[in-house]
Amino acid sequence: YGAYGKRLKSQWNPLIKKLSEDAFTRQAVLSILTEEDLKAITRDFPCNLSLLFWSDDGLHLNLTTIVRSQDMYLGFPYDVFNWTMFQECIAKSCNLQIGSYYHFMIIGHYYLENKPVLLGISQSKFESSITMKEIQTSCFDLETYNKLITGEEYIRLRGLNFNSFYNDRDLSTKRDEIGREKYILGLK
């Protein structure tokens, strides 16, 4: 229910058009929360509420993410990665450079079973970092985006559990099944 892809799909092209026409626009906002969400009875309520894209110099695209509630172990690291990749793709699509990323979380929490891992992470000393290669071309066109949304929906609706998928199959069977899934999704 709370997946973001379908919620953002119809907003994609207008956002790129708006930013391409005016890098200084203050109207480049993607809304994730909908009126239907307020009526829904579900635990899969969207945590991320909106994405605000903006530039203060006309050269760099900044992104501010507004989050109502987020798990510090199961959500935060993945959302920061995903949204900054999204920022890079939008920037490339609009011929802008990557700017700053801001993540406003109203309520941060963690589940007790994850506390030991979080404590370990907080006490770790990171001595090096890895720099990812910059995306070289515009990475999103609507056709590719539609394939990703279709794939996500296909996996979610089939209830695929990738942990058990990888634990109980030999490598050749996994490779065949992954190839078949890619073919079905139109990604091959």
Side-chain angles (χ1 to χ4, degrees):
Y1 175 82
Y4 303 122
K6 282 190 159 186
R7 296 164 179 270
L8 298 175
K9 181 179 177 179
S10 65
Q11 301 175 67
W12 179 261
N13 284 338
L15 173 76
I16 291 178
K17 183 177 189 299
K18 195 171 283 280
L19 284 165
S20 295
E21 291 173 354
D22 179 9
F24 292 101
T25 184
R26 294 172 296 179
Q27 300 173 2
V29 179
L30 297 181
S31 298
I32 296 172
L33 193 69
T34 67
E35 180 181 346
E36 290 77 31
D37 293 323
L38 299 175
K39 299 173 186 173
I41 300 172
T42 178
R43 292 186 56 83
D44 191 20
F45 196 87
C47 295
N48 295 268
L49 304 178
S50 62
L51 306 171
L52 297 83
F53 295 87
W54 53 280
S55 178
D56 51 6
D57 64 4
L59 301 173
H60 297 86
L61 184 66
N62 304 305
L63 172 58
T64 301
T65 304
I66 308 296
V67 183
R68 74 172 173 83
S69 179
Q70 189 162 59
D71 178 273
M72 297 307 295
Y73 180 65
L74 300 172
F76 177 70
Y78 303 100
D79 281 348
V80 169
F81 175 81
N82 287 327
W83 294 135
T84 55
M85 287 297 294
F86 196 64
Q87 174 188 13
E88 184 174 1
C89 290
I90 297 285
K92 288 291 183 183
S93 297
C94 299
N95 295 314
L96 295 168
Q97 296 174 30
I98 303 163
S100 298
Y101 176 76
Y102 303 91
H103 193 90
F104 291 98
M105 181 189 324
I106 309 305
I107 300 168
H109 63 274
Y110 64 88
Y111 297 100
L112 289 177
E113 63 265 21
N114 298 322
K115 186 175 181 178
V117 176
L118 287 168
L119 285 172
I121 291 169
S122 69
Q123 295 167 359
S124 297
K125 292 184 180 180
F126 296 98
E127 297 179 13
S128 65
S129 63
I130 299 170
T131 302
M132 289 181 57
K133 289 180 93 176
E134 185 176 330
I135 294 173
Q136 299 301 315
T137 60
S138 175
C139 57
F140 275 146
D141 56 65
L142 200 51
E143 182 181 345
T144 302
Y145 187 75
N146 285 333
K147 284 182 181 180
L148 289 171
I149 298 306
T150 301
E152 183 275 335
E153 183 177 62
Y154 179 83
I155 291 167
R156 187 171 26 84
L157 292 178
R158 288 201 44 208
L160 297 179
N161 179 339
F162 287 102
N163 290 332
S164 64
F165 176 82
Y166 286 109
N167 288 338
D168 61 4
R169 291 172 171 79
D170 66 69
L171 186 58
S172 61
T173 303
K174 286 186 244 181
R175 191 170 43 248
D176 291 343
E177 290 189 23
I178 290 169
R180 190 168 43 252
E181 296 295 329
K182 284 183 179 178
Y183 179 78
I184 291 168
L185 300 175
L187 300 174
K188 194 170 183 181

